[in-house]
Amino acid sequence: MSKLSIPVGISNFEKIRNGGFYYIDKTGLIAELVRSSAEVTLITRPRRFGKTLGMSMLESFFDIRKDSKKLFDGLEISHQKNLCEKWMNQWPVVFLSLKNVDGIHFSDAYQQLVYEISLLYQQHDNLLKSTALSDRDKFLFKQLQERQAGKTDIMRSLQFLTRLLEQHYGKKVILLIDEYDVPIAKANSHGYYNEMMDVIKGLMQALKDNPSLHFAVITGCLKIAKESIFTGTNNFVSDTITNSRLNEYFGFVQHEVDQLLLSADFTDKASAMKEWYDGYHFGTFDVYCPWDVMNYLLELQRNPQASPVSYWKNTSDNAIIRSFIDYAGSSITKKLETLMAGGSILQRVDENLTYDYLHSSEDNLWSLLYLTGYLTKAQTTMDTDELPPGMMELKIPNAEIKEIFETTVVRWFDESAKTWNRKTLFDAIWSGDCDRITQELTALLRRTISYHDYREDFYHAFLAGIFTGAGYMVDSNKEHGEGRSDVVLYDSINGRVAVFEAKYTKALENLSSACDSALQQMNEKMYAKEYEDDYDQIFCYGISFFKKRCLVKKVL
């Protein structure tokens, strides 16, 4: 078995190449960018799709301070000799990543930005010895480097640095800004959106009528169009997940994953890899999430029997789904159920969102799920021309994201159920009122979001969630007699217990017979017998479910 060095968590191109890590060649991006007439290119992709590594690769290729020929030997771009002679290590480069700019308060996040600017200026420390710079410029440079500059100077620090670099090298500057919208997204979450927007707009002045700028590449998750961040930029091009021009350079395409699995001797895992981590449709490309592919491959090298798991599960970005569910009305609930059952929905999608208006409409929330990778464009036989303007057919891309939706829905239900008024339900359970139990459970069912397409495990989780947190002890899948009941509810103080056996049916007309089947099972397997010595009252209920309807009967 071939042991590969898998670069999980490494987004530095030089470290990957010098360290002998496996690298999937994305250097064709360089040729695409230099042949473009765009002065500013904005590339928006979901998180974890290789944007930072791509930007690091661009820095290594263009930066005049580096000698990168060895790094690019054997890669696609190295075969374009004329392009390499003209562009490789021939230009001053400014590379700033904003992905770590965060804070509960604006002052905290702003200081994080000041820190990143300071690091950037330290990387260009050689300018302090330049004879092309004035003493005044060097004084301000030093202030920015030592985190002593004022807010206005911070906001104009990129524009200032590009001017100094052009003066020193006599060449225009390539500007690379990675994850430009992370500070804005964080600010929106923490309540200082306007203050952060003001700062980011100031930084982006480096893109507008800047005589020192050769071209700029900006990456992010959303294209913030209504905030005038990019208004006024010359030859501005936005490349989103609906375009096809650059999509093969962010994420892994099929032949790249096939070669990776072949190199690692894990071709038998191809179907699992595809089911869990493929399914993103960007433009005309079918794309795997590189973060997941590399994580799973690393795990396989440790344990060849490892099953796929969700590598997005514990990321803070998943709060998007939770906020979406909290917002959910009946129309959203129905669409979520369709998606989690493997279906697709028609939805209006707007790529020009602003973070402060994300929750202002249902359309914005669906658009956000699409742009952040939780939904993707469905591949269907439907002609695009058949869709109404602005509409898109959406689906959940793969098993990993489906699991995240399900986990989030379960957590939401468990937390929400505890806040619902269940007194009438419990009164009915302890009085043996089957009609009232049926009414109350049906009403609660209609407040849920179904996953697993109404299978038995959904209803089992529903019952357990409804009964939990109400002051009673709850047992799930309790073994007793000759079988195993679904849920047992104990009221030890009052000496009573309720045992529930659930069935589900695929036809409404079978609701009563399914309920009778549950009662028969409880009798035959003597579910009640073990409680006779310890409890004064024993209630045995059979419940049958059909979608969001139920019927309750009790053992007489």
Side-chain angles (χ1 to χ4, degrees):
M1 182 175 294
S2 302
K3 189 80 169 180
L4 303 180
S5 294
I6 305 298
V8 169
I10 303 175
S11 55
N12 183 289
F13 177 77
E14 293 182 12
K15 185 174 182 179
I16 288 175
R17 295 293 285 165
N18 288 327
F21 290 96
Y22 192 95
Y23 176 67
I24 290 182
D25 190 350
K26 299 293 183 179
T27 58
L29 174 64
I30 297 168
E32 290 282 354
L33 291 172
V34 301
R35 288 170 184 158
S36 169
S37 60
E39 187 169 311
V40 178
T41 299
L42 171 64
I43 301 170
T44 55
R45 298 293 185 278
R47 313 283 182 224
R48 297 172 290 273
F49 271 82
K51 296 190 296 292
T52 301
L53 176 56
M55 295 289 265
S56 176
M57 181 263 293
L58 294 178
E59 180 196 28
S60 294
F61 185 83
F62 292 121
D63 198 330
I64 197 169
R65 299 169 299 168
K66 300 178 184 289
D67 181 3
S68 302
K69 186 177 185 303
K70 184 178 178 182
L71 293 177
F72 288 90
D73 275 350
L75 298 179
E76 178 185 340
I77 197 66
S78 67
H79 303 304
Q80 302 190 42
K81 304 297 184 185
N82 291 337
L83 186 151
C84 288
E85 287 178 10
K86 181 179 178 181
W87 292 92
M88 186 185 288
N89 305 135
Q90 296 298 310
W91 302 92
V93 173
V94 173
F95 177 31
L96 176 66
S97 178
L98 299 180
K99 66 180 180 180
N100 295 321
V101 177
D102 187 13
I104 299 299
H105 305 289
F106 172 71
S107 58
D108 301 325
Y110 178 75
Q111 287 305 316
Q112 292 288 336
L113 176 62
V114 170
Y115 180 79
E116 296 294 340
I117 296 296
S118 170
L119 289 181
L120 175 64
Y121 272 71
Q122 290 174 39
Q123 293 167 15
H124 295 276
D125 190 69
N126 62 304
L127 292 180
L128 289 172
K129 300 176 182 177
S130 175
T131 58
L133 273 61
S134 68
D135 290 340
R136 177 177 293 182
D137 285 342
K138 290 179 181 179
F139 176 76
L140 178 53
F141 185 103
K142 200 72 176 172
Q143 283 191 307
L144 287 159
Q145 193 179 57
E146 295 177 354
R147 290 185 267 171
Q148 300 297 318
K151 184 178 177 182
T152 300
D153 292 325
I154 290 292
M155 292 165 66
R156 293 303 184 101
S157 57
L158 293 181
Q159 188 175 31
F160 179 62
L161 185 54
T162 58
R163 177 172 69 80
L164 300 188
L165 286 168
E166 185 191 22
Q167 288 177 207
H168 177 69
Y169 290 105
K171 292 186 173 186
K172 294 187 183 298
V173 179
I174 295 173
L175 175 59
L176 308 173
I177 304 177
D178 183 47
E179 301 286 17
Y180 87 99
D181 58 340
V182 165
I184 304 168
K186 301 294 186 181
N188 186 58
S189 299
H190 297 310
Y192 51 87
Y193 180 84
N194 291 330
E195 294 95 323
M196 185 55 74
M197 275 301 308
D198 187 46
V199 173
I200 298 301
K201 284 181 183 179
L203 281 176
M204 295 300 173
Q205 291 300 312
L207 306 175
K208 304 175 184 181
D209 294 321
N210 183 352
S212 299
L213 183 66
H214 191 8
F215 68 81
V217 181
I218 319 295
T219 69
C221 192
L222 300 186
K223 173 187 173 185
I224 305 179
K226 299 176 184 176
E227 302 292 350
S228 70
I229 285 182
F230 302 111
T231 302
T233 55
N234 296 322
N235 297 321
F236 175 79
V237 172
S238 174
D239 191 274
T240 70
I241 57 177
T242 59
N243 304 126
S244 296
R245 187 170 75 95
L246 302 178
N247 274 315
E248 64 181 301
Y249 302 115
F250 297 93
F252 296 161
V253 295
Q254 187 63 53
H255 73 86
E256 293 169 338
V257 174
D258 291 343
Q259 183 57 56
L260 175 61
L261 291 173
L262 184 63
S263 299
D265 198 19
F266 281 116
T267 53
D268 59 316
K269 301 296 183 180
S271 60
M273 191 78 83
K274 190 171 188 66
E275 178 187 359
W276 274 77
Y277 309 126
D278 187 25
Y280 301 94
H281 304 304
F282 296 168
T284 58
F285 290 94
D286 184 20
V287 181
Y288 287 76
C289 176
W291 168 256
D292 296 319
V293 169
M294 289 304 199
N295 269 284
Y296 184 40
L297 194 59
L298 182 64
E299 186 60 33
L300 285 172
Q301 292 194 150
R302 296 169 179 158
N303 173 19
Q305 305 305 316
S307 298
V309 297
S310 172
Y311 297 103
W312 285 32
K313 182 176 289 186
N314 296 320
T315 63
S316 60
D317 293 343
N318 295 336
I320 293 171
I321 297 178
R322 178 54 190 265
S323 65
F324 188 82
I325 293 171
D326 286 338
Y327 178 93
S330 58
S331 65
I332 287 181
T333 298
K334 183 65 177 174
K335 290 175 183 177
L336 277 176
E337 290 176 342
T338 298
L339 290 167
M340 288 191 287
S344 60
I345 62 171
L346 281 180
Q347 188 60 46
R348 185 173 302 281
V349 170
D350 182 5
E351 292 188 280
N352 300 316
L353 296 177
T354 58
Y355 279 98
D356 57 338
Y357 283 95
L358 290 179
H359 295 79
S360 65
S361 73
E362 180 185 331
D363 284 344
N364 282 1
L365 288 167
W366 287 116
S367 298
L368 180 64
L369 289 176
Y370 168 66
L371 294 169
T372 52
Y374 292 98
L375 296 176
T376 194
K377 184 178 179 180
Q379 287 186 326
T380 69
T381 57
M382 183 179 294
D383 195 313
T384 304
D385 296 335
E386 297 176 20
L387 295 174
M391 300 293 284
M392 189 177 291
E393 188 173 1
L394 301 176
K395 68 170 189 173
I396 293 173
N398 52 44
E400 178 188 39
I401 303 301
K402 184 174 186 289
E403 183 183 84
I404 293 172
F405 270 96
E406 291 176 358
T407 301
T408 307
V409 167
V410 169
R411 189 176 296 122
W412 165 83
F413 174 72
D414 287 345
E415 294 174 4
S416 299
K418 295 172 185 176
T419 68
W420 296 343
N421 186 350
R422 294 166 289 171
K423 182 179 184 303
T424 304
L425 171 64
F426 287 115
D427 287 346
I429 289 172
W430 301 127
S431 64
D433 188 343
C434 291
D435 290 340
R436 176 62 69 180
I437 299 171
T438 297
Q439 292 173 16
E440 291 298 311
L441 285 179
T442 299
L444 292 170
L445 260 177
R446 288 173 177 158
R447 299 176 70 173
T448 66
I449 300 171
S450 169
Y451 56 96
H452 284 186
D453 197 23
Y454 298 109
R455 295 200 300 270
E456 195 161 343
D457 48 2
F458 166 73
Y459 296 115
H460 182 274
F462 166 74
L463 287 175
I466 286 296
F467 295 150
T468 299
Y472 304 107
M473 186 179 129
V474 179
D475 242 344
S476 294
N477 287 317
K478 167 74 174 175
E479 289 188 9
H480 39 195
E482 298 177 4
R484 182 191 297 267
S485 64
D486 286 306
V487 179
V488 181
L489 187 66
Y490 302 90
D491 180 6
S492 300
I493 294 175
N494 294 301
R496 52 193 183 181
V497 62
V499 184
F500 297 85
E501 177 63 33
K503 301 290 182 183
Y504 85 107
T505 176
K506 296 181 179 179
L508 178 60
E509 60 267 23
N510 295 333
L511 205 57
S512 182
S513 60
C515 197
D516 292 337
S517 174
L519 295 177
Q520 183 179 350
Q521 180 177 323
M522 299 179 85
N523 278 326
E524 290 178 351
K525 298 191 175 182
M526 299 179 291
Y527 283 2
K529 188 171 182 59
E530 71 175 272
Y531 302 111
E532 292 175 353
D533 293 339
D534 299 316
Y535 292 91
D536 300 326
Q537 289 181 288
I538 304 169
F539 299 89
C540 291
Y541 293 105
I543 307 178
S544 57
F545 293 97
F546 170 73
K547 295 189 175 180
K548 291 191 176 180
R549 301 176 71 165
C550 74
L551 178 65
V552 180
K553 297 181 182 181
K554 66 180 177 180
V555 176
L556 300 175

